[in-house]
């Protein structure tokens, strides 16, 4: 039994996004460990004021690739199992014990197609064309509990089973960025920087399942099937049925919304249905779905010769998605079946009426149809199946707007031995959906030459303090990680690879 079709759709969307960025995923579009490595230009992704010691030209595509998967509670292998739509991972006691009430997943993508930076006087200019994707999800423990309990539930009696599995959420934002940056040394202590970005929207999706409530007292599927085949042949049979079905009930309440602005993404319906039955991608129809603007701002200030503080705010901006590429669907409704309602209808039949048995047959057929409809929608274990949600499409009245996932960065470092050795602390908060992600990173950096830098970092929050980071710049090659892979239960894992060609230009005063 598959977990559910909706998670399978998450996987399809994830594969689509991965194709956009050369099959690499990232939890942040920067590497925290690089922040105090003066010899590398990649730290400008965190603060446009932090200039490198030399200009650079990144090799196309492989010049800056960042890859990370992260979660507040789940391990790396858990996330892979969910994305791959595995059949039995949620049956594991260890998996269920690792879950929190709300489990956040963040998988983001980032790569530079083309980028370069160069000095001109006191100014450092940079240019980049890159691909960015932010994917965030919230999955509740109650959903996996339901899946677990529904496994093998076929033909069992529903004895006042209650489930409330709302709160699921999926957010996707994918775009191309064309940026122009400028950093300027105002004096020996202060350096400021900014980067403006034109954004070409590839796609955006917001799915929220606010409510999914079930409560039922019903017999097993085989007994309901007997109701479907039942023939009412005498009045005594009607009395027996009234005594049996009076306490039965089935309640299903669904509230969900889907807003999508993806060219090439189609919300399909089966013939004869008025709700979404699948989500499909047509690669030939892909294109620009929206346009936007963004800006990064940063500054660095030397309080003392060896003490430097810095701050930046990244990705202030938005994308407006065209009306023509936007599709909207919603679900508000469900099932509210009470056996007593059918008992009252049976009681209203006049026994002397020659059509009494036929009337009773119609009532029992109605009961069996409504009860079987409930079981078909919820008891398969495909709790978030399209059949259960029944999202109905509607025309988009206007264009949509989505904000970028902005990031606040605060840093401080102290240098030793003519600034060749430094220790630093870095605070970042990235305002991703469905919930902001905060990290606190401490690092030690050795930077004797512009072509050789090495750093060791320790990030406290996202990895639950159970990982460490490394950074190495050796000539044109840069390798780094904020979260070293330490096994399948690692909450956060990432890797950064960059290859660049150094360019000429003056060496600036150290400002990192």
């Amino acid at each position: 039994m598959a977990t559910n079709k909706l998670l399978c759709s998450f996987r399809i969307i994830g594969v689509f996004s991965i194709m956009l960025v050369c099959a690499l995923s990232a939890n942040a579009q920067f590497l925290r460990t690089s922040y105090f490595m003066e010899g590398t230009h990649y730290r400008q992704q965190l603060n446009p004021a932090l200039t490198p010691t030399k200009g650079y030209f990144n090799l196309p595509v492989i010049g800056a690739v960042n890859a990370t998967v992260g979660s507040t509670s789940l391990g790396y292998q858990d996330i892979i199992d969910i994305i791959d739509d595995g059949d039995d991972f949620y049956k594991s006691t260890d998996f269920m014990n690792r879950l929190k009430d709300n489990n956040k997943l963040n998988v983001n993508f980032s790569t530079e197609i083309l980028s370069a930076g160069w000095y001109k006087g006191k100014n450092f200019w940079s240019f980049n064309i890159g691909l960015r994707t932010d994917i965030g999800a919230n999955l509740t423990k109650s959903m996996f509990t339901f899946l677990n309990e529904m496994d093998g539930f076929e033909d069992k009696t529903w004895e006042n089973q209650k489930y409330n599995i709302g709160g699921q959420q999926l957010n996707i934002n994918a775009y191309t960025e064309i940026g122009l940056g400028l950093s300027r040394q105002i004096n020996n202590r202060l350096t400021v920087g900014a980067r403006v970005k034109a954004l070409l929207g590839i796609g955006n999706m917001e799915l929220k399942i606010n409510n999914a409530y079930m409560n039922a007292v019903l017999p097993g599927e085989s007994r309901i099937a007997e109701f479907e085949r039942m023939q009412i042949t005498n009045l005594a049979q009607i009395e027996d049925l009234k005594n049996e079905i009076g306490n039965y009930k089935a309640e299903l309440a669904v509230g969900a919304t889907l807003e999508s602005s993806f060219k090439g993404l189609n919300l399909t319906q089966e013939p004869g249905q008025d709700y979404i039955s699948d989500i499909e991608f047509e690669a030939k129809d892909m294109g620009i779905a929206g346009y936007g603007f963004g800006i990064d701002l940063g500054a660095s200030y030397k309080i003392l010769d060896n003490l430097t503080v810095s701050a930046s705010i990244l990705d202030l901006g938005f994308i407006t998605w065209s009306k023509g590429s936007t599709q909207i669907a919603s679900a508000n409704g469900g099932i509210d079946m009470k056996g007593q309602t059918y008992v009252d209808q049976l009681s209203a039949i006049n026994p002397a009426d020659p059509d009494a048995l036929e009337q009773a047959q119609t009532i029992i057929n109605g009961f069996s149809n409504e009860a079987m409809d409930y079981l078909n929608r919820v008891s398969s274990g495909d709790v978030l199946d399209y059949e259960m949600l029944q999202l109905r499409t509607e025309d988009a009245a206007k264009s949509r707007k989505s904000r970028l996932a902005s990031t606040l960065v605060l840093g401080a470092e102290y240098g030793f031995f003519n600034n060749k050795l430094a220790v630093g602390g870095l605070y970042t908060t990235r305002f991703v959906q469905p919930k902001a992600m905060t990290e606190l990173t401490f690092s030690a950096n050795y930077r004797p030459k512009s072509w050789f830098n090495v750093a060791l970092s320790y990030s406290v929050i996202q990895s639950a303090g159970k990982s460490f980071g490394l950074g190495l710049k050796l000539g044109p090659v840069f390798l780094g990680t904020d979260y070293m892979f330490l096994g399948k239960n690692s909450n956060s894992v990432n890797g950064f690879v960059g290859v660049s060609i150094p360019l000429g230009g003056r060496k600036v005063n150290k400002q990192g």
Side-chain angles (χ1 to χ4, degrees):
M1 179 186 66
T3 51
N4 56 67
K5 290 182 180 178
L6 190 60
L7 283 179
C8 186
S9 295
F10 292 5
R11 177 174 57 85
I12 293 172
I13 294 168
V15 170
F16 168 78
S17 302
I18 291 170
M19 290 170 60
L20 294 176
V21 291
C22 307
L24 290 168
S25 57
N27 183 43
Q29 295 167 0
F30 43 72
L31 189 74
R32 297 175 180 88
T33 304
S34 71
Y35 193 80
F36 302 111
M37 300 177 69
E38 289 187 340
T40 174
H41 59 274
Y42 299 111
R43 65 190 194 139
Q44 278 204 306
Q45 296 176 348
L46 278 155
N47 188 330
L50 301 183
T51 57
T53 52
K54 286 188 176 182
Y56 65 91
F57 174 77
N58 280 340
L59 295 186
V61 182
I62 64 171
V65 178
N66 198 0
T68 307
V69 176
S71 169
T72 56
S73 54
L74 300 177
Y76 172 81
Q77 189 60 52
D78 296 330
I79 298 171
I80 297 302
D81 287 340
I82 292 173
I83 294 175
D84 282 344
D85 197 27
D87 284 346
D88 56 7
F89 66 90
Y90 57 86
K91 300 175 186 176
S92 165
T93 301
D94 290 340
F95 172 82
M96 296 300 296
N97 289 339
R98 284 194 292 271
L99 292 173
K100 298 179 181 179
D101 290 341
N102 289 285
N103 304 277
K104 307 294 190 300
L105 308 180
N106 283 94
V107 181
N108 307 347
F109 309 126
S110 173
T111 189
E112 298 292 337
I113 299 173
L114 182 66
S115 57
W118 62 95
Y119 282 102
K120 188 172 180 59
K122 290 185 177 182
N123 300 329
F124 183 83
W125 293 88
S126 61
F127 173 79
N128 76 293
I129 300 175
L131 291 170
R132 310 283 185 259
T133 300
D134 295 302
I135 300 179
N138 183 68
L139 303 175
T140 64
K141 183 174 183 177
S142 60
M143 182 188 74
F144 292 105
T145 299
F146 178 85
L147 291 173
N148 207 331
E149 294 185 4
M150 285 299 100
D151 186 65
F153 196 81
E154 291 84 356
D155 205 28
K156 291 184 180 179
T157 301
W158 286 66
E159 298 178 350
N160 207 29
Q161 262 87 3
K162 295 181 181 180
Y163 300 96
N164 191 347
I165 55 175
Q168 322 303 325
Q169 186 171 341
L170 172 69
N171 300 88
I172 300 176
N173 201 35
Y175 59 92
T176 298
E177 170 187 302
I178 304 173
L180 179 64
L182 172 63
S183 177
R184 181 175 178 84
Q185 184 177 356
I186 304 301
N187 53 46
N188 289 335
R189 295 192 178 275
L190 176 64
T191 302
V192 297
R195 183 185 301 110
V196 294
K197 300 177 284 191
L199 309 176
L200 307 179
I202 297 171
N204 176 271
M205 175 181 284
E206 295 182 6
L207 172 63
K208 295 181 179 179
I209 302 174
N210 302 311
N211 184 33
Y213 173 77
M214 289 158 281
N215 181 16
V217 177
L218 286 175
E221 186 173 341
S222 60
R223 177 55 179 160
I224 294 177
E226 290 177 3
F227 280 115
E228 291 183 315
R229 299 188 298 268
M230 185 176 295
Q231 297 296 317
I232 308 299
T233 57
N234 57 73
L235 296 177
Q237 188 179 4
I238 296 176
E239 292 302 314
D240 292 338
L241 290 171
K242 286 163 60 177
N243 292 331
E244 178 180 356
I245 69 175
N247 292 324
Y248 291 153
K249 64 179 181 179
E251 182 180 357
L252 169 64
V254 176
T257 59
L258 171 64
E259 296 183 358
S260 170
S261 299
F262 265 102
K263 285 191 175 180
L265 182 145
N266 300 312
L267 307 180
T268 62
Q269 299 179 4
E270 294 290 342
Q273 292 182 343
D274 62 348
Y275 55 86
I276 298 171
S277 60
D278 203 356
I279 296 177
E280 297 178 349
F281 281 110
E282 292 289 344
K284 62 182 178 62
D285 296 330
M286 288 176 56
I288 302 302
Y291 298 90
F293 173 82
I295 188 170
D296 301 339
L297 300 171
S300 173
Y301 185 77
K302 280 181 173 287
I303 298 177
L304 303 172
D305 288 343
N306 290 339
L307 178 62
T308 304
V309 294
S310 56
S312 66
I313 183 73
L314 310 176
D315 292 324
L316 289 173
F318 62 90
I319 298 177
T320 298
W321 305 95
S322 67
K323 176 182 175 182
S325 65
T326 298
Q327 301 175 83
I328 297 175
S330 62
N332 290 287
I335 296 173
D336 187 12
M337 188 273 284
K338 294 181 175 60
Q340 186 59 45
T341 301
Y342 293 96
V343 171
D344 293 341
Q345 293 175 8
L346 290 172
S347 298
I349 296 175
N350 183 356
D353 191 326
D355 296 327
L357 297 182
E358 183 178 343
Q359 294 174 30
Q361 185 72 59
T362 300
I363 294 169
I364 292 302
N365 289 345
F367 166 79
S368 63
N369 289 339
E370 197 166 13
M372 188 60 75
D373 184 28
Y374 178 86
L375 292 185
N376 288 338
R377 289 181 66 173
V378 304
S379 64
S380 68
D382 294 338
V383 59
L384 299 183
D385 197 346
Y386 303 112
E387 179 71 25
M388 181 266 217
L389 289 177
Q390 296 195 359
L391 289 158
R392 290 172 169 81
T393 59
E394 56 188 89
D395 294 331
K398 57 182 180 180
S399 60
R400 299 172 56 240
K401 184 178 290 186
S402 65
R403 66 171 180 84
L404 302 184
S406 301
T407 303
L408 174 65
V409 181
L410 302 174
E413 68 166 315
Y414 191 85
F416 304 91
F417 307 113
N418 199 26
N419 220 28
K420 295 184 184 300
L421 181 66
V423 293
L426 184 68
Y427 169 89
T428 59
T429 293
R430 195 155 192 258
F431 299 95
V432 293
Q433 295 293 330
K435 186 178 180 180
M437 297 183 68
T438 295
E439 187 59 282
L440 183 61
T441 302
F442 300 98
S443 67
N445 306 265
Y446 181 55
R447 48 203 190 190
K449 302 290 183 180
S450 63
W451 57 268
F452 177 69
N453 281 203
V454 63
L456 174 66
S457 69
Y458 177 68
S459 295
V460 178
I461 300 175
Q462 296 303 322
S463 65
K466 298 177 181 179
S467 188
F468 64 93
L470 291 172
L472 173 65
K473 182 181 189 296
L474 187 61
V477 178
F478 178 80
L479 303 172
T481 178
D482 289 328
Y483 308 105
M484 183 67 71
F485 180 70
L486 299 176
K488 64 182 182 180
N489 290 328
S490 299
N491 290 85
S492 296
V493 181
N494 87 325
F496 190 107
V497 178
V499 182
S500 62
I501 299 172
L503 301 179
R506 71 175 183 86
K507 291 187 178 182
V508 297
N509 293 332
K510 293 182 179 180
Q511 304 165 37

